[in-house]
């Protein structure tokens, strides 16, 4: 495949939209979601990385998802 301007534009728009959405949660919640869903890490591994217990990672993930659902349906 060659250069696809439409695909590039879609990627940029998606990234910008995601950035704006993620501004509505705390920095720690952003970290948890990004590790969980872009790096496919377990809650236990995220906890080790961030110095948190797994249950705290779970709470942060749930709070972030709840907040984003409330704001953006």
């Amino acid at each position: 495949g060659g250069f696809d301007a439409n695909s590039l534009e879609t990627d940029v728009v998606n990234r910008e939209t995601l950035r704006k959405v993620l501004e509505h949660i705390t920095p720690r919640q952003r970290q948890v979601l990004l590790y969980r869903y872009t790096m496919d890490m377990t809650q236990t591994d995220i906890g080790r990385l961030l110095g948190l217990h797994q249950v705290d990672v779970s709470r942060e993930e749930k709070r972030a998802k709840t907040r984003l659902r409330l704001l953006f349906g």
Side-chain angles (χ1 to χ4, degrees):
F3 177 76
D4 183 351
N6 288 331
S7 177
L8 177 63
E9 182 178 353
T10 299
D11 287 349
V12 169
V13 168
N14 287 343
R15 254 183 258 132
E16 183 62 18
T17 300
L18 181 60
R19 188 187 64 73
K20 286 178 180 174
V21 165
L22 292 177
E23 288 175 355
H24 294 278
I25 58 177
T26 68
R28 173 158 288 153
Q29 290 170 346
R30 270 196 297 278
Q31 284 181 306
V32 167
L33 290 187
L34 290 172
Y35 287 136
R36 191 94 167 100
Y37 296 100
T38 65
M39 301 177 104
D40 202 30
M41 292 175 69
T42 66
Q43 290 178 346
T44 301
D45 289 339
I46 295 168
R48 271 192 216 108
L49 188 65
L50 299 179
L52 300 170
H53 294 284
Q54 178 274 327
V55 69
D56 296 319
V57 173
S58 178
R59 252 187 233 116
E60 291 295 330
E61 181 179 351
K62 184 175 180 180
R63 285 180 185 141
K65 288 164 64 175
T66 298
R67 175 137 174 85
L68 293 175
R69 241 183 250 116
L70 284 172
L71 291 171
F72 300 102

